[in-house]
Amino acid sequence: MDLSEWSNFDLGTRLVSYDEDDVMLYALAVGAQAGDLPLIFERDLRVLPTFALPLGLWVADAASAAGAFEPAAALHAEQGLRSFRALPGSGQFEVTGRISQVRDTGRSAILDITAESEFFAATYSVILPGQGGFSKGSAVAQKAPSEDRPVGTARAIGPVALSERAAVLYRLTGDKHLIHVDPKAARDAGFARPLLHGLCTLGTTALAIARDLTAAPWELSELEARFTAPVYPGQALSISSWATGGGSGRSTFGFDASVEDSDVLTRGRISFS
């Protein structure tokens, strides 16, 4: 199939299930502390909306298995999340997957792979370097860029220390790719050592921003960011956030994150209900 023909490709529906231990493990993996009782104690447990991201990650594997891309030739470039209502503390529900659009940047192709349920919609954007130029002037959808620099004064958050165990802990939420645990696999892929999951970096950043704003982290309603460089366990995130306004009763902020002067998250946007 031509790349443009993958747009709106149906990836099927799966039943996802989890329990309270999974919810608490995820919260700990993205930086919850012992004092964050609503996130790590089963009594009155609250679920971080970013827990939806590992629940929906199967759609990227399904797109690859269908033949849309080869994992070795792809990078996780962007991530989006919309939370419709609170995830239950445990249970099971259906998640439907599709390749929602294919973008042609000229040099590269980007597949937007979406997981949808009654609770959330998450879009995993996968970039295929060197595979652009396929649209030949046809109307292939282009995603509007987010504002990636602050309009007003940015707040500095951090440094947020990442545990040396961050990757081996986060992989227990479901993403067990070898480059996050096996030094040889990481080196073979071009990395100095096992690296942290991008979704862990994003979840950690979202929680840190909520904490800085004294916002309830379980009230996150929208999140998006672009991944621009690898992060390694043991490093520290320096985060900047800035108010951008927001309507419909939401507070919306832009953000970015860096480690050791290297930008790792850009064009970030986060909203709380």
Side-chain angles (χ1 to χ4, degrees), residues 68-267:
F69 67 92
E70 290 291 336
L75 296 169
H76 190 177
E78 302 167 3
Q79 183 62 50
L81 172 67
R82 287 183 294 134
S83 177
F84 305 137
R85 60 193 183 96
L87 287 162
S90 63
Q92 59 182 21
F93 53 86
E94 290 185 340
V95 176
T96 298
R98 64 191 175 95
I99 300 175
S100 49
Q101 67 174 346
V102 181
R103 293 182 271 153
D104 186 351
T105 71
R107 295 178 59 186
S108 302
I110 300 176
L111 306 182
D112 293 326
I113 308 167
T114 300
E116 297 174 303
S117 75
E118 60 184 298
F119 299 100
F120 66 86
T123 299
Y124 309 78
S125 296
V126 175
I127 188 168
L128 309 179
Q131 296 189 41
F134 57 85
S135 58
K136 300 181 178 63
S138 61
V140 176
Q142 298 293 322
K143 186 176 180 179
S146 301
E147 180 64 48
D148 87 326
R149 298 308 310 162
V151 175
T153 302
R155 293 173 58 90
I157 305 171
V160 178
L162 299 169
S163 169
E164 292 283 358
R165 300 183 299 169
V168 295
L169 184 60
Y170 188 86
R171 69 187 296 270
L172 299 181
T173 68
D175 184 349
K176 293 188 175 181
H177 195 293
L178 290 178
I179 62 173
H180 302 298
V181 67
D182 182 357
K184 182 179 184 304
R187 288 194 301 271
D188 289 347
F191 300 103
R193 56 191 176 92
L195 66 157
L196 189 59
H197 308 67
L199 293 181
C200 184
T201 300
L202 184 58
T204 300
T205 299
L207 181 57
I209 292 172
R211 185 176 284 125
D212 179 70
L213 296 171
T214 64
W218 51 87
E219 292 182 354
L220 182 152
S221 55
E222 291 190 43
L223 179 66
E224 65 179 39
R226 176 176 291 180
F227 302 113
T228 52
V231 177
Y232 295 97
Q235 292 186 310
L237 291 171
S238 295
I239 304 164
S240 294
S241 73
W242 53 92
T244 63
S248 305
R250 293 176 177 171
S251 298
T252 303
F253 300 84
F255 69 89
D256 56 28
S258 63
V259 293
E260 300 175 1
D261 298 322
S262 175
D263 292 334
V264 296
L265 295 176
T266 62
R267 299 194 178 190

Side-chain angles (χ1 to χ4, degrees), residues 8 18-20 44 60 110 125 212 248:
N8 293 313
Y18 59 90
D19 59 25
E20 292 177 336
D44 303 322
I110 300 176
S125 296
D212 179 70
S248 305

